Amino acid sequence: EVQLVQSGAEVKKPGESLKISCKGSGYSFTSYWIGWVRQMPGKGLEWMGIIYPGDSDTRYSPSFQGQVTISADKSISTAYLQWSSLKASDTAMYYCARQFLDSSGYFYFDYWGQGTLVTVSS
Amino acid sequence: DIQLTQSPSFLSASVGDRVTITCRASQGISSYLAWYQQKPGKAPKLLIYAASTLQSGVPSRFSGSGSGTEFTLTISSLQPEDFATYYCQQLNSYPRGTFGQGTKVEIK
């Protein structure tokens, strides 16, 4: 069974650093892109970026480039999303999701993690 | 960047109603569009990919159509468990994909 299990909720102060995780199981972790999606309170889904754990190829949305870092450790089938200096506006739910590429060239997020709630408040 | 505009942003409907949600892309994306359903406090769930292909396990009352710049998600007979927020996602620029702003379907 494919599963993506994310790390638990975090409460941080502005200026602090943070790294949240997404552990994949039940499939070949190095063969699928893992994406990160932000959902601010009461708002919609925002595509942040994506990584291919097989070779760590990473792409970012222009809105998030330079604001976060996406990485992966394929030895433990885990992807990460990290901030070096959090802001109150980073308060949101963050989801990881596996991107499936089918034989016709269509791709989509087929499995999602349960989400990690990040709260940044002084 | 390709922008997606969903309409309406909110709709109120009754059980048994036929519901249609539209997603318009700012430029042509062929059939590189997916639809997701999100219920409160839950992760999104894939409903449809490649504009019209139903994901395994998704009820057949859900259907998708369109190509190019205009797409629709139709629920043929709305059920109580379908009250949720629906998002389209364009996937024209592999591996990147952006979302529409969402359509909330509430009980009338």
Side-chain angles (χ1 to χ4, degrees), chain A residues 29-48:
Chain A
F29 185 74
T30 54
S31 300
Y32 296 83
W33 293 83
I34 292 282
W36 287 94
V37 176
R38 183 175 79 174
Q39 188 166 39
M40 298 176 77
K43 302 298 184 182
L45 305 175
E46 298 175 269
W47 192 96
M48 301 177 69

Side-chain angles (χ1 to χ4, degrees), chain A residues 4-106:
Chain A
L4 295 173
V5 178
Q6 297 186 230
S7 50
E10 302 274 2
V11 179
K12 292 289 191 180
K13 290 181 167 35
E16 291 186 331
S17 62
L18 175 64
K19 192 174 190 177
I20 63 175
S21 66
C22 170
K23 183 173 176 60
S25 62
Y27 72 100
S28 173
F29 185 74
T30 54
S31 300
Y32 296 83
W33 293 83
I34 292 282
W36 287 94
V37 176
R38 183 175 79 174
Q39 188 166 39
M40 298 176 77
K43 302 298 184 182
L45 305 175
E46 298 175 269
W47 192 96
M48 301 177 69
I50 201 162
I51 187 165
Y52 189 76
D55 61 6
S56 293
D57 186 3
T58 307
R59 316 288 173 86
Y60 294 92
S61 162
S63 300
F64 292 93
Q65 180 85 48
Q67 308 304 308
V68 298
T69 300
I70 294 170
S71 61
D73 184 340
K74 60 185 179 184
S75 70
I76 55 171
S77 301
T78 301
Y80 301 97
L81 177 65
Q82 68 181 90
W83 296 259
S84 58
S85 181
L86 286 160
K87 303 184 278 287
S89 57
D90 293 317
T91 294
M93 180 71 81
Y94 293 88
Y95 293 101
C96 65
R98 187 185 83 160
Q99 184 153 280
F100 183 81
L101 174 64
D102 72 12
S103 57
S104 300
Y106 293 102

Side-chain angles (χ1 to χ4, degrees), chain B residues 18-99:
Chain B
R18 181 181 181 87
V19 166
T20 299
I21 298 168
T22 298
C23 179
R24 289 188 174 85
S26 59
Q27 62 189 74
I29 57 170
S30 184
S31 297
Y32 292 97
L33 190 100
W35 289 97
Y36 301 86
Q37 175 194 65
Q38 187 181 32
K39 296 182 179 179
K42 299 293 187 182
K45 171 189 170 184
L46 176 68
L47 298 177
I48 286 168
Y49 63 92
S52 60
T53 302
L54 203 63
Q55 172 70 343
S56 175
V58 174
S60 59
R61 62 181 179 273
F62 291 93
S63 63
S65 65
S67 67
T69 61
E70 187 151 336
F71 303 85
T72 58
L73 172 70
T74 299
I75 309 171
S76 60
S77 177
L78 199 65
Q79 297 302 299
E81 60 269 31
D82 301 336
F83 292 95
T85 301
Y86 294 84
Y87 295 92
C88 57
Q89 183 194 20
Q90 69 83 14
L91 305 121
N92 188 60
S93 307
Y94 182 80
R96 292 185 172 89
T98 52
F99 293 95

